[in-house]
Structures are given as structure tokens and as C-alpha cells.
Amino acid sequence: MKAALLQHIRRLADDDLPAYVYDVHGLRAHARAVRAALPRRVRFLYAAKANSDPRLLRALAAHVDGFEVASGGELRHVRGLFPDVPISFGGPGKTVAELSQALDAGVERLHVESEQELRGLTTVLGDRTADVLLRVNVPVALPAVALAMGGGPSPFGLDPSRLDRCLQIIAADHRVRLRGLHVHLASGLDARAHLALVDQVMGWADRWAWQRGIDLAEVNIGGGMGVDYADPRNVFDWQVFGIGLRRTLERHPALTLRIEPGRAVTAYCGWYVTRILDVKSSRGTAFAVLRGGTHHLRTPAAKQHDQPFEVIPDDSWHQNWPRPEVRGEPVTLVGQLCTPKDVLARGATVGRLRVGDRIAFAMAGAYAWNISHHDFLMHPRPTFHHVDDADADVGPPAAETHVVAGRTA
Ligand SMILES: *Cc1c(COP(=O)(O)O)cnc(C)c1O
């Protein structure tokens, strides 16, 4: 962890915990680096559903080409913050009210998920126009990935066999303008695997467009750029990805590619910080019970992984009994919920961990607080802190911070 961030975490009062601490400056630098790695003919949208915290969206706004929203609520939120920013509206199961709202909000692109949705759109257009991408479940072979949205039977997007019907509907309605295709097939791929998928998709899309005499102006290749929770240092290689996309664009001189990553943009900027309430041993297994839990940070429960964390020792101990601790043995970090599923990290090996020490869970900036079931058990909510310190990304981590990433065996 960066020194300034650690300093901020140390200064938090116990009453502030649990807390979400966001490194806004780091997020800005990351987004700038992603943008710089991409060719100009790639439009970089941020998928707001990963984390729609207004201060994070404001930090991102200067470095992205727009936002992708997946509901009327997200659309209202993003448009409320940025009156003019380009917005793409995607996601399955849009209501006609949401489609109408999208037209009112002047969205740049609508990602059409089905023939039904396209017909619904034509009923609310009136004298307006809509620029659409048809989302297709392209028949490709997907590598083993964390999450597959396509490649087999899927509720997302159009089956290729339905595309011609959609083309007929569009041809009969001059208010609908087909800009191209949208393909969000998988999540959790590294840069090379993602590029291989883009190659497959483009091969299919080129054939499809050529057979129908369509000039493919745009392909949105979705999000899903991998985030490795088991190895936080293994980050998606945006340089390699940018070089690969440049090659794709060289073969397609008139094409614009669009991408809409969420997780790989914001995952690293968020920390969930809490402290240890209890340490105990049960039938030979050590447990640390933390303030808070998966009702604040659902990510490890949702993805069935161990959330990486750092121990921030706190040497103040004012009780007259021995301080419970675990030293040099695997420990399972759990929260305050009355369910065995409330596990944040299982069997992690730590140097030492004591009641009262603080724990900072890393990679809690995406699909974390906003996907969590806050009201279960009615515990208090975390506090939120946005550190926007230019110094936050310089200086070595404090020597006493143990980096304990995930499971050991
Ligand atoms: C969720 C989603 C994204 C973002 O996915 P990440 O894995 O967060 O990058 C992009 N596009 C669509 C259509 C999505 O549903």
C-alpha cells in the first residue's frame, strides 16, 4: 500500500471503521495510463456498474471517452453528474420506459439485446433517432474464464440467427441507425487471451458484414479485462492490449473499436479497512472475527475467492488480560454475520494477527460495496473516505506492513 494511504488509514478513528478508503489520485493515474496505452480509434468507456461512486466517476471523466450504463438508474446517475458526457446504454431487460428515458437523455449508443427490445424501441422513438449496436452472442470458443456471458446458450444479446430479422426491422425504420455490433462475452481474461477473443470476434463479424453488404463502422468488444485477486501484482497488460488492438485496426482502416471495462479500471483504487474484534481457535483452525464483513464487501463471497489484505498492526492494548493473537499459522478471516458464508479470506498465513489490529482488504474498488447486502443483520454502514493526495503514489510502504495475498495452499 502507498505510504500516504497507509497514513490516512492509521489516522482513522476506531469509530470510523469499517471504512472504504479510495485512492482517487491513483485511480486518475491508472485511467490516464489505460487511455495512453490505447490507439486513438479505440473509444474507452467505463462500465459504471463496477462502481458508480460520484467522486470516482468525476476522477475518471477526464480520461475516458464516456460511460456505459446498464439501467435507468445508472443512466440518471451518470447524466445527473455529467450533462454532456457520451453514454452507452446496455444491459438485458430494458423496459420501454428506460428506452424512452435513454432517448431523452441523449445517449450516444443503445446496445440492443433482442428483437423484442428493438421493436419496443421503435414504439417510443417518435420523431427521434437512435444509434444502435446489436449485441450478439458470437459463436466463439471461450477459454476457461471466471465468468462467461456468451459462447454458449446465454440470456445476453442476440443469437446470430436472429440478426437478419433485426436488420429487416432497422431497414424498415429510418429512425434506427445501425452503427455496428456489440460483443461482451467473457470476464477475467488476460490481455493475450482477450486479444485472441477479439480476433475470433472480428473474424466472425467481418464475414457476417461482408455476406450482408454492411459496412461495419463500430464494434464494441465489451469489458471483462481480467483482475487477478490471487495475485494483485498480476495486472492486465494494457500496453500489450493496446498494441494488439492497433493491429486489428490496421486491418480495418474505417473501424472504430469501443471497449467498456469496469473491474479492471476501479478494482485497485478501493480498500475496505476494518479491525479485528476476536481471535479464536476452533478444532485446530484459527479464526479472526472482523468488524463488518461480506455485507460490506461481498466480492469474496460472490466470487468465492480470498480477498487479498494487509495487516496494519496497532500496538495499543489497554486490557488487563492477554491479547488474543494468531502467529505463523493459517487463519480464516470472517465477518459479523451469522452465516458460515461470511468469509473474506480462508486459511491465510500471516506473521502475526491480534485483536485490535487493523486489516485493509485490497482490490475493493469494484463490485464491492455496491453489490453488497448492506441491510442484512442491521449492522452500521462503513464510512467513506476519498484520498486525493498527489503524494499518495510516492514513497515505499511502511516496513511493518505485512502483505498477505490470498490463500497459501
Ligand atoms: C458488466 C459489463 C461490463 C463490464 O465488465 P467488467 O468485467 O467489469 O469489465 C461491460 N459490458 C457489459 C455489457 C457488462 O455487462
Side-chain angles (χ1 to χ4, degrees):
M1 185 188 307
K2 299 166 184 172
L5 216 56
L6 182 63
Q7 216 175 57
H8 185 92
I9 287 172
R10 285 186 187 285
R11 279 200 297 260
L12 291 172
D14 280 348
D15 284 349
D16 285 334
L17 302 179
Y20 268 94
V21 179
Y22 291 118
D23 176 7
V24 180
H25 185 265
L27 174 64
R28 210 179 275 117
H30 178 51
R32 189 185 298 121
V34 170
R35 175 64 268 183
L38 297 168
R40 261 192 330 113
R41 263 192 293 140
V42 175
R43 311 286 288 168
F44 170 26
L45 314 177
Y46 169 66
K49 78 168 186 283
N51 189 337
S52 54
D53 180 299
R55 296 178 67 168
L56 302 189
L57 295 183
R58 282 201 197 96
L60 286 172
H63 305 289
V64 299
D65 299 301
F67 293 97
E68 188 260 358
V69 302
S71 74
E74 284 187 356
L75 174 56
R76 201 172 303 112
H77 181 69
V78 172
R79 188 45 94 222
L81 289 169
F82 313 105
D84 303 315
V85 77
I87 295 178
S88 289
F89 184 25
K94 300 179 197 72
T95 66
V96 284
E98 284 176 313
L99 291 168
S100 188
Q101 179 196 344
L103 297 166
D104 290 342
V107 301
E108 187 190 35
R109 294 289 178 271
L110 265 171
H111 301 162
V112 172
E113 291 263 345
S114 75
E115 193 180 319
Q116 160 77 9
E117 190 173 289
L118 185 57
R119 291 188 187 281
L121 173 64
T122 64
T123 67
V124 292
L125 270 172
D127 55 7
R128 301 176 287 198
T129 58
D131 291 295
V132 305
L133 302 182
L134 295 175
R135 180 174 179 181
V136 198
N137 181 8
V138 173
V140 292
L142 287 178
V145 287
L147 268 180
M149 267 65 67
S154 166
F156 304 115
L158 284 143
D159 195 77
S161 65
R162 308 306 296 170
L163 285 176
D164 285 338
R165 279 301 300 142
C166 291
L167 290 182
Q168 286 169 12
I169 295 167
I170 291 169
D173 193 328
H174 65 277
R175 300 169 302 175
V176 184
R177 295 194 294 238
L178 179 66
R179 293 286 186 165
L181 300 175
H182 177 286
V183 184
H184 173 71
L185 290 177
S187 174
L189 301 178
D190 67 22
R192 283 178 177 80
H194 210 302
L195 287 170
L197 182 60
V198 170
D199 275 347
Q200 284 193 71
V201 164
M202 288 309 303
W204 180 89
D206 287 340
R207 249 186 336 272
W208 176 82
W210 180 78
Q211 284 165 355
R212 284 155 188 81
I214 291 173
D215 271 334
L216 209 52
E218 288 176 15
V219 176
N220 183 323
I221 52 176
M225 291 68 182
V227 166
D228 188 348
Y229 291 90
D231 181 2
R233 278 156 302 198
N234 178 25
V235 296
F236 190 84
D237 194 333
W238 289 99
Q239 299 294 336
V240 163
F241 195 59
I243 290 164
L245 294 186
R246 190 163 285 121
R247 287 202 195 104
T248 302
L249 288 169
E250 278 162 9
R251 291 194 295 269
H252 300 82
L255 182 73
T256 298
L257 286 173
R258 301 164 76 89
I259 62 169
E260 46 187 29
R263 193 185 301 271
V265 178
T266 42
Y268 302 96
C269 79
W271 295 79
Y272 175 62
V273 184
T274 185
R275 74 196 185 87
I276 298 170
L277 297 176
D278 209 344
V279 172
K280 51 186 167 180
S281 176
S282 174
R283 312 241 177 140
T285 295
F287 290 90
V289 184
L290 310 177
R291 187 104 172 91
T294 55
H295 55 302
H296 293 164
L297 176 62
R298 212 176 99 84
T299 326
K303 287 185 72 71
Q304 291 289 298
H305 69 207
D306 299 318
Q307 195 73 24
F309 63 90
E310 295 185 17
V311 179
I312 301 171
D314 181 336
D315 290 329
S316 54
W317 176 258
H318 307 296
Q319 310 300 341
N320 60 1
W321 62 81
R323 188 173 180 179
E325 68 166 32
V326 50
R327 200 187 271 261
E329 64 168 303
V331 57
T332 291
L333 274 52
V334 303
Q336 294 176 291
L337 302 182
C338 311
T339 158
K341 295 183 177 173
D342 190 21
V343 177
L344 294 133
R346 201 180 293 277
T349 297
V350 294
R352 183 182 64 174
L353 198 151
R354 304 164 296 178
V355 167
D357 283 341
R358 293 185 174 190
I359 299 283
F361 288 97
M363 301 171 79
Y367 304 103
W369 165 249
N370 65 327
I371 65 158
S372 304
H373 42 299
H374 319 140
D375 291 332
F376 188 39
L377 266 78
M378 300 176 77
H379 283 295
R381 296 193 167 203
T383 60
F384 289 84
H385 308 264
H386 298 78
V387 182
D388 197 353
D389 186 342
D391 298 332
D393 55 358
V394 296
E400 69 269 38
T401 304
H402 306 258
V403 178
V404 186
R407 184 192 303 245
T408 48

